Amino acid sequence: EDQVTQSPEALRLQEGESSSLNCSYTVSGLRGLFWYRQDPGKGPEFLFTLYSAGEEKEKERLKATLTKKESFLHITAPKPEDSATYLCAVHGGSQGNLIFGKGTKLSVKP
Amino acid sequence: DVKVTQSSRYLVKRTGEKVFLECVQDMDHENMFWYRQDPGLGLRLIYFSYDVKMKEKGDIPEGYSVSREKKERFSLILESASTNQTSMYLCASSGHVDEKLFFGSGTQLSVL
């Protein structure tokens, strides 16, 4: 069964404390892995797309990486404004549509 | 920038009412989607459309229908609202099937 699992469910960091969020997936024929950021009461906002193992993308304090089984979203020296829920989604497998993980809620305390 | 606009930010309806959720995108996107988002369950696809007058069932279509009469507009219809349809509803669009989604701000629907 096609599946996307994100861990941890919630993560609390101090400002400046770097960490990583994990997205593991089991789909055949990956056509793309997406990371989104969602602020409370708003719709998800696109961050990155990764297509093949070994690929990396960066934006400010965020860096996304991809292997054949998982993706990591690395957050370097986070700030309170990085607090949000981060969603991972995968295109591929037997379903034609995106499969979303349940998200990781990140809180960064000053 | 792409803009996806959902007509209502908050809605409160009674059980049994017919409910319309409207979504408009301004980037001439072919594909439009309706999701619902619930705590602990994540985003689940209700219906999607690849073209005008086309519709496809997603993972949880029961109790919902959709309409796409114009390319820029995709409507979600709850024929007879029930309390278990209380949720955050998110509309999204994309230019191609495998491309990133652009989401609206969501409609928080409460069915009493």
Side-chain angles (χ1 to χ4, degrees):
Chain A
E1 182 187 352
D2 301 327
Q3 210 165 359
V4 177
T5 303
Q6 291 188 247
S7 62
E9 288 185 17
L11 181 62
R12 287 188 164 190
L13 299 174
Q14 288 297 126
E15 185 173 0
E17 180 187 1
S18 301
S19 188
S20 297
L21 282 53
N22 177 263
C23 172
S24 63
Y25 61 92
T26 52
V27 296
S28 55
L30 178 73
R31 299 202 301 275
L33 186 142
F34 301 79
W35 282 98
Y36 292 85
R37 170 192 169 125
Q38 186 174 22
D39 293 302
K42 295 188 176 181
E45 182 181 338
F46 171 77
L47 291 173
F48 304 109
T49 309
L50 302 166
Y51 291 104
S52 56
E55 190 174 359
E56 298 182 353
K57 295 247 177 105
E58 283 189 71
K59 179 180 179 181
E60 295 180 358
R61 296 176 292 283
L62 300 177
K63 179 180 177 180
T65 62
L66 181 65
T67 72
K68 288 187 177 180
K69 293 186 177 180
E70 59 191 349
S71 176
F72 290 94
L73 185 64
H74 306 278
I75 303 176
T76 302
K79 297 181 178 182
E81 52 262 42
D82 295 321
S83 297
T85 295
Y86 290 86
L87 300 172
C88 171
V90 170
H91 247 304
S94 57
Q95 301 179 43
N97 302 305
L98 275 180
I99 305 166
F100 278 88
K102 295 180 180 178
T104 294
K105 185 175 182 179
L106 174 66
S107 298
V108 182
K109 301 299 180 185
Chain B
D1 278 354
V2 174
K3 194 164 185 181
V4 179
T5 303
Q6 295 185 229
S7 55
S8 303
R9 188 72 187 86
Y10 299 97
L11 270 180
V12 180
K13 296 292 181 181
R14 295 274 181 202
T15 302
E17 278 193 78
K18 190 169 186 176
V19 182
F20 293 86
L21 303 182
E22 306 286 345
C23 175
V24 177
Q25 51 94 3
D26 66 357
M27 279 298 290
D28 201 36
H29 279 171
E30 302 288 338
N31 309 296
M32 296 189 75
F33 306 81
W34 275 105
Y35 289 87
R36 65 178 281 178
Q37 186 174 34
D38 301 286
L41 296 177
L43 277 155
R44 294 180 290 167
L45 181 64
I46 305 171
Y47 265 97
F48 58 100
S49 169
Y50 290 141
D51 202 351
V52 175
K53 298 195 184 292
M54 270 197 56
K55 59 185 178 183
E56 298 284 345
K57 292 180 180 179
D59 300 319
I60 52 163
E62 297 79 17
Y64 303 95
S65 62
V66 290
S67 171
R68 194 165 180 202
E69 295 296 319
K70 293 185 178 181
K71 192 174 185 180
E72 68 271 18
R73 188 179 296 269
F74 193 34
S75 302
L76 179 69
I77 303 153
L78 286 66
E79 296 290 341
S80 178
S82 63
T83 54
N84 62 12
Q85 293 179 310
T86 290
S87 185
M88 168 70 92
Y89 288 87
L90 290 162
C91 175
S93 72
S94 71
H96 297 283
V97 172
D98 291 352
E99 285 187 357
K100 62 187 179 187
L101 296 179
F102 294 87
F103 284 88
S105 295
T107 296
Q108 181 62 53
L109 173 67
S110 296
V111 183
L112 306 177

